[in-house]
Amino acid sequence: IASLKLNSEVLADNFLPHYRVLRINTIENYYISTFLIEDKEKVSGLLECWNKDGFYHFPSAKKALLYIPHENANEVMSLKEFNCSTYDKIFTFEPWGIGEFTPNSCDYGNRTFGGSYNYQYHFASIAMLAGSSFMAKQIEGIISAVKLLKANGVEEVIIAGKGQGAILAAVA
C-alpha cells in the first residue's frame, strides 16, 4: 500500500465520499442510475446501478456486484462469466482513465489501451511529479465506491473486473 501512495484519508474507517445524483439513462431494457463520486479534492469516478427500475438514490441490497470495466461500463451487458442473477444489484464503476473518464487529450492519435505514449503515460507522469500514482487514484475511487455502497445499505459487495479493470479490482 505504501508503494502505491494511497491517500490515507480514503482508507480511514470514517471516510465517506460525497456524491452527486446524475440523470438516469436507459440502455436496452435497463435503467442506469448514475452517481458521480467525489472526495475533498477531485472527482473519483462514475458509479452506475444497472436495474429494471431507475433510482435517484442508492438502492439497498444484500449482495451487489461492483464491476470495473476494461474500456467502459457497457461491457456489463455481456457478462456471461458471472451469474448476475445471484446479485440483488449490479453496479459498474469507471475510475479515472476508463469509460467516461477517458480524457480527450494527451493521446497524440493513440487511444488504444497500453499504447506506448498516450494519456495513461501522461497522467502517470503527472501523478509521479505530485508524489502519487495514477493507479492509486483509480484504486481510491473503487474504495470510495465500496464505502458509499456499504454506507447506503449494501451488505456485501463483490468486486470484479475485466482487463485493466481486473487488475484494479484485485488490488482494491
Side-chain angles (χ1 to χ4, degrees), residues 115-129:
S116 59
Y117 195 69
N118 63 9
Y119 67 88
Q120 293 162 329
Y121 170 82
H122 290 281
F123 281 13
S125 299
I126 291 167
M128 286 172 54
L129 286 171

Side-chain angles (χ1 to χ4, degrees), residues 34-51:
T34 308
F35 309 94
L36 186 69
I37 298 178
E38 50 191 21
D39 63 19
K40 294 177 184 175
E41 302 169 356
K42 66 183 180 339
V43 172
S44 298
L46 200 64
L47 181 66
E48 297 175 322
C49 179
W50 296 67
N51 203 20

Side-chain angles (χ1 to χ4, degrees), residues 132-146:
S132 184
S133 74
F134 181 49
M135 186 177 189
K137 296 305 173 197
Q138 292 175 309
I139 292 167
E140 288 170 9
I142 295 168
I143 292 169
S144 294
V146 170

Side-chain angles (χ1 to χ4, degrees), residues 22-27 30-34 46 48-49 51 54 100:
L22 303 180
R23 187 175 304 190
I24 292 176
N25 290 321
T26 57
I27 294 180
Y30 290 96
Y31 287 98
I32 305 163
S33 300
T34 308
L46 200 64
E48 297 175 322
C49 179
N51 203 20
E100 294 292 324

